[in-house]
Amino acid sequence: MARRERNAPIWIKILVWVHVIVISIKCLPPAPADAIGPAAKRQLFGSEYILYYNGKLKPFLEPYLWATGVWQSWDMFAPNPSDWEGYVTATITYKDGTVREYVFPRMYELGLGLKYFKERYRKFLERAHHDSHSWIRERFALRIAAKNYTDEANPPAKVELHRHVSIVPPTLTFGAYLRNLGTAIGNGNLSMKVLMPDNPKMPPYTDNAYYTLVVKERDLRELTGS
Amino acid sequence: MAESAPKEQGRFNLFKYLDNWWFGKGSPTTLGVFRIIIAGLCFVNLAMIAIDFTDWYTESGFVPQEIAQRYAPNVAKAFQFGEYRVDLPFDFPRINLLGGVESTPITALFYALVMAAAFLTMVGLWTRLSSIVLAIGLITLHHRNLLILHGGDTALRQFVILIALAPSGAACSLDRFIAVWKGKAPASPPLISLWGQRLIQFQIALLYFTAVWFKWQGSHWRDGTATWYISQLREFNRFPAPEFLEHQPFVGITTYGTLLVELALATLVFYRPLRKWVLLAGLAMHGYIEYRFNIPMFAFVVTSAYICHYDGDEITGWARRFGERYRKLSLKVWLPAGKRMEGPRADAIRNADPLGIVEYREGETTEWGAETYSGKTRNPFVASCIRSVGAWPIAGLWKKLVLQAPVEGSSAASSNREKEREKQPAKGKGRSR
């Protein structure tokens, strides 16, 4: 009997299948937090069991994922989009007492072309401002001081970071919209307000000073190489 | 087209079907085109980030080594098997050639090397080496600074790794042009096992499927208000959109529409009758996101993988049909009398014209000439280069190559030689893996 030619070597087939299985396990979301752990408020349901047992396998995959660079997670705007609209400024007090405001690159205020190139600043801030990464703040403030160190005789002495935050208010859900629409049609008082209801207004930004760095001149000179 | 799985005894064999779908042989053209696009996008992405190189990759920036290494999660070395715990005596290494490197010149040189590798991978020169350097370089840069990465970077990294592993230089590459020119490869690219292309298809389907599953866990995606929140994040603002899109019912339509399109891109896209419509819906969705929101490169990276849902033969067919439809772009190049386009060099020259709109014919004069569809004369070298997409990376050498391609002799003698050649098996090293 003639030997059938392989379409690909066995070792490639094995590697492909292992890779497919590993990244599939990695990419599946975790089980809902309110259904697992000692503080669970409810039982797992249906496909959530798959997520629960899948989650137990994930730690074993980390060496493969991180060593090869194939780690991945597709939780963009998930489980919910952020409702945190904000930016950071710094109040820089110089040695001679003068005060200057610095705005960490804010996409909203940049031109259409420039913001496309500077988006990394927004992404960095999304992670760096977070309370869970408070250890980044010292370096963040020091770098801002370095960026504003223009006169050797008058270095920044203090940097105060401010978060300006506006939380996006909830709007009418789609289900509520349909119910209102049905009621209005039933009552014969359909109007533009029902067809296209108003949205809540964004609240004004709140200003919160969340970190202060007393700048050591030695650190500043080391950073700027002066 | 991938060879169809044989049915054994009239019954559908799932294992054979899957084996053939994943590993069956087909045209490498799709991978080649995808390689060009993704490496080009990688080059552009790196160039954009390079503008703020000091802030992101130096010790005086926002993310020095100390911050970068603290932020990057430890690779697990302790594993729990039920009641038993295993502690390995070492940390698993992470690909990061810049780990601990604090020198700005070295980091900058490395960065430039990765950009060079992206360019070489795009044009397909030393493809295997350049794509591997690109993959390792990009993984290193990502591990050097995780804080500035978004979903588009993650997708880009997966694709770059896959084109490094797969035979992505087997078509649409300078490597292939050179091999055909030297007579070491046949005019038509040899069939390759399509596992690389299938992995890209699987990767994009997995991306969308798990994205939907993640989103469905969120209350805002379920209640139809998710896109309202995104539209209010001013930091994402780009071009304006009509205001009515930010009110119900359009918020609900765009929220549920996003989920449906993403789910279709993970499932229905594999069903050929619906493939085109699903991909068009994906392009529309990503096109709107690219227009409305400032998420650089993400839409381009993700949608570039859509091409992998098409076989290489289909792409070649499109190119030819495009050339036939736009006949007015065609060009006749007249060779000097007594010369004809034949042999491996001629094959390489013709292969550089995927649209098939340049025709090389024996002339009657001693000079080279060219004539467009409408009868206008043109410089044969410039005009043929413009119309041969594969010639663009070597535009500076094109005239020299075209001059060297023809062989001596009349067409009557050539047709006898053609017949003799057709009887012989094709030579060359076309590797297929």
Side-chain angles (χ1 to χ4, degrees):
Chain A
M1 192 187 214
R3 203 173 167 180
R4 201 167 136 250
E5 192 193 328
R6 287 191 202 284
N7 47 23
I10 285 284
W11 65 271
I12 283 189
K13 294 189 180 189
I14 292 170
L15 280 177
V16 166
W17 281 113
V18 165
H19 180 76
V20 162
I21 290 166
V22 168
I23 62 172
S24 299
I25 292 171
K26 170 66 180 140
C27 290
L28 287 182
D34 63 349
I36 55 171
K41 292 175 190 163
R42 61 175 179 88
Q43 280 215 310
L44 291 167
F45 175 76
S47 59
E48 292 173 351
Y49 281 101
I50 298 174
L51 301 181
Y52 174 71
Y53 289 109
N54 184 75
K56 289 188 173 297
L57 295 172
K58 285 187 184 182
F60 298 100
L61 310 178
E62 283 193 21
Y64 172 78
L65 294 165
W66 280 101
T68 57
V70 297
W71 53 270
Q72 52 191 280
S73 181
W74 307 111
D75 54 352
M76 297 85 65
F77 299 116
N80 279 322
S82 173
D83 58 359
W84 192 92
E85 155 58 26
Y87 61 99
V88 164
T89 60
T91 304
I92 302 166
T93 308
Y94 288 83
K95 194 175 179 181
D96 66 357
T98 52
V99 175
R100 187 191 294 178
E101 281 293 308
Y102 168 83
V103 180
F104 187 73
R106 195 182 167 203
M107 302 304 110
Y108 184 63
E109 290 182 349
L110 295 178
L112 278 171
L114 195 59
K115 68 166 75 181
Y116 204 69
F117 290 85
K118 298 288 184 181
E119 196 274 342
R120 302 296 172 167
Y121 288 91
R122 188 208 60 78
K123 194 67 193 176
F124 174 75
L125 194 66
E126 185 183 295
R127 295 179 170 126
H129 93 276
H130 216 272
D131 290 337
S132 59
H133 298 128
S134 56
W135 47 271
I136 294 179
R137 289 169 189 171
E138 184 185 345
R139 181 51 185 237
F140 185 43
L142 187 62
R143 176 65 181 153
I144 289 174
K147 275 181 171 290
N148 290 275
Y149 181 27
T150 50
D151 178 2
E152 268 199 42
N154 188 24
K158 187 172 82 169
V159 175
E160 192 175 69
L161 298 178
H162 293 255
R163 269 194 291 234
H164 305 265
V165 178
S166 175
I167 301 295
V168 181
T171 189
L172 191 68
T173 66
F174 194 66
Y177 170 80
L178 291 177
R179 282 192 294 276
N180 292 348
L181 188 67
T183 304
I185 291 171
N187 293 343
N189 55 358
L190 193 61
S191 65
M192 272 310 289
K193 263 197 176 301
V194 174
L195 277 171
M196 201 172 296
D198 291 333
N199 284 320
K201 294 264 182 279
M202 280 289 285
Y205 289 96
T206 57
D207 180 346
N208 159 39
Y210 70 101
Y211 183 76
T212 302
L213 173 74
V214 175
V215 182
K216 295 189 186 107
E217 228 175 289
R218 187 193 69 231
D219 291 339
L220 202 56
R221 290 192 195 284
E222 207 177 288
L223 200 63
T224 55
S226 57
Chain B
M1 191 170 291
E3 297 152 6
S4 54
K7 288 186 181 174
E8 285 189 358
Q9 299 174 351
R11 276 183 298 179
F12 177 71
N13 186 318
L14 178 64
F15 292 109
K16 280 201 185 308
Y17 177 82
L18 284 175
D19 182 71
N20 188 65
W21 186 83
W22 272 101
F23 303 103
K25 293 194 176 172
S27 165
T29 301
T30 303
L31 259 184
V33 172
F34 180 67
R35 185 203 79 244
I36 293 169
I37 298 171
I38 211 67
L41 289 173
C42 191
F43 183 86
V44 169
N45 193 44
L46 289 171
M48 286 168 62
I49 298 174
I51 294 168
D52 298 302
F53 179 82
T54 306
D55 275 343
W56 304 129
Y57 291 105
T58 67
E59 291 304 291
S60 58
F62 287 105
V63 191
Q65 286 285 359
E66 180 201 354
I67 300 285
Q69 283 164 24
R70 188 169 171 183
Y71 184 80
N74 292 328
V75 182
K77 63 175 185 176
F79 302 95
Q80 194 77 29
F81 297 90
E83 292 172 9
Y84 301 100
R85 182 188 161 95
V86 175
D87 284 293
L88 296 172
F90 54 88
D91 282 324
F92 273 96
R94 192 183 292 122
I95 293 180
N96 185 358
L97 302 183
L98 291 175
V101 172
E102 296 184 356
S103 161
T104 298
I106 291 176
T107 308
L109 186 66
F110 183 88
Y111 198 99
L113 183 72
V114 179
M115 287 187 69
F119 183 79
L120 290 174
T121 303
M122 182 178 71
V123 300
L125 188 60
W126 309 308
T127 311
R128 181 63 75 188
L129 175 64
S130 58
S131 61
I132 289 172
V133 169
L134 174 62
I136 292 174
L138 192 67
I139 294 169
T140 293
L141 290 174
H142 284 189
H143 288 170
R144 169 62 182 81
N145 186 350
L146 290 168
L147 285 123
I148 60 170
L149 302 182
H150 57 56
D153 297 301
T154 306
L156 187 62
R157 187 177 64 252
Q158 309 312 312
F159 296 146
V160 160
I161 290 170
L162 290 174
I163 63 170
L165 296 174
S168 56
C172 311
S173 65
L174 286 180
D175 288 341
R176 182 159 154 72
F177 181 92
I178 293 167
V180 173
W181 178 272
K182 290 181 176 177
K184 291 181 179 175
S188 296
L191 300 182
I192 58 165
S193 177
L194 291 177
W195 58 266
Q197 184 177 334
R198 299 301 184 222
L199 272 176
I200 296 165
Q201 287 179 268
F202 180 81
Q203 176 67 74
I204 201 85
L206 185 70
L207 184 161
Y208 284 119
F209 187 78
T210 55
V212 170
W213 205 337
F214 258 113
K215 288 181 169 86
W216 194 246
Q217 292 187 334
S219 57
H220 298 328
W221 288 99
R222 289 185 190 230
D223 66 21
T225 60
T227 56
W228 152 254
Y229 289 91
I230 302 168
S231 69
Q232 299 308 300
L233 299 177
R234 291 176 190 144
E235 290 299 281
F236 279 109
N237 275 1
R238 199 171 173 207
F239 295 103
E243 213 206 306
F244 70 84
L245 288 175
E246 293 176 14
H247 292 260
Q248 293 290 13
F250 298 97
V251 168
I253 291 169
T254 51
T255 300
Y256 295 127
T258 300
L259 293 173
L260 285 171
V261 171
E262 289 187 343
L263 191 61
L265 283 162
T267 52
L268 295 178
V269 73
F270 292 99
Y271 181 54
R272 286 225 166 174
L274 294 179
R275 176 181 58 178
K276 180 172 84 173
W277 305 110
V278 171
L279 293 176
L280 282 173
L283 286 174
M285 179 184 73
H286 282 292
Y288 178 73
I289 293 171
E290 178 67 24
Y291 167 83
R292 178 69 179 82
F293 301 110
N294 191 50
I295 310 174
M297 305 303 289
F298 178 75
F300 295 108
V301 170
V302 171
T303 55
S304 68
Y306 289 4
I307 201 165
C308 292
H309 285 299
Y310 287 91
D311 294 332
D313 295 331
E314 291 178 291
I315 292 174
T316 307
W318 282 344
R320 293 290 174 195
R321 284 195 299 276
F322 182 91
E324 282 162 18
R325 180 176 288 187
Y326 294 97
R327 284 206 156 280
K328 53 187 168 183
L329 297 174
S330 65
L331 183 80
K332 283 194 190 69
V333 175
W334 301 104
L335 279 66
K339 285 188 189 282
R340 64 185 190 284
M341 277 293 199
E342 192 182 292
R345 292 182 177 186
D347 289 336
I349 296 292
R350 285 198 190 92
N351 281 353
D353 169 30
L355 304 182
I357 54 177
V358 181
E359 197 184 338
Y360 296 90
R361 286 188 175 183
E362 268 183 70
E364 291 169 353
T365 69
T366 56
E367 303 295 322
W368 285 80
E371 193 177 278
T372 64
Y373 182 75
S374 52
K376 292 182 183 163
T377 55
R378 288 281 181 268
N379 178 306
F381 310 107
V382 173
S384 61
C385 183
I386 290 170
R387 287 161 175 76
S388 303
V389 178
W392 295 352
I394 46 173
L397 296 171
W398 185 248
K399 179 178 176 180
K400 191 173 171 183
L401 293 169
V402 171
L403 285 170
Q404 289 179 10
V407 296
E408 302 285 345
S410 71
S411 52
S414 94
S415 69
N416 288 336
R417 269 193 281 270
E418 277 286 331
K419 285 174 188 165
E420 286 302 310
R421 257 180 69 185
E422 273 162 22
K423 288 178 192 169
Q424 289 172 13
K427 292 176 190 174
K429 286 185 196 175
R431 276 189 299 171
S432 56
R433 184 154 60 101

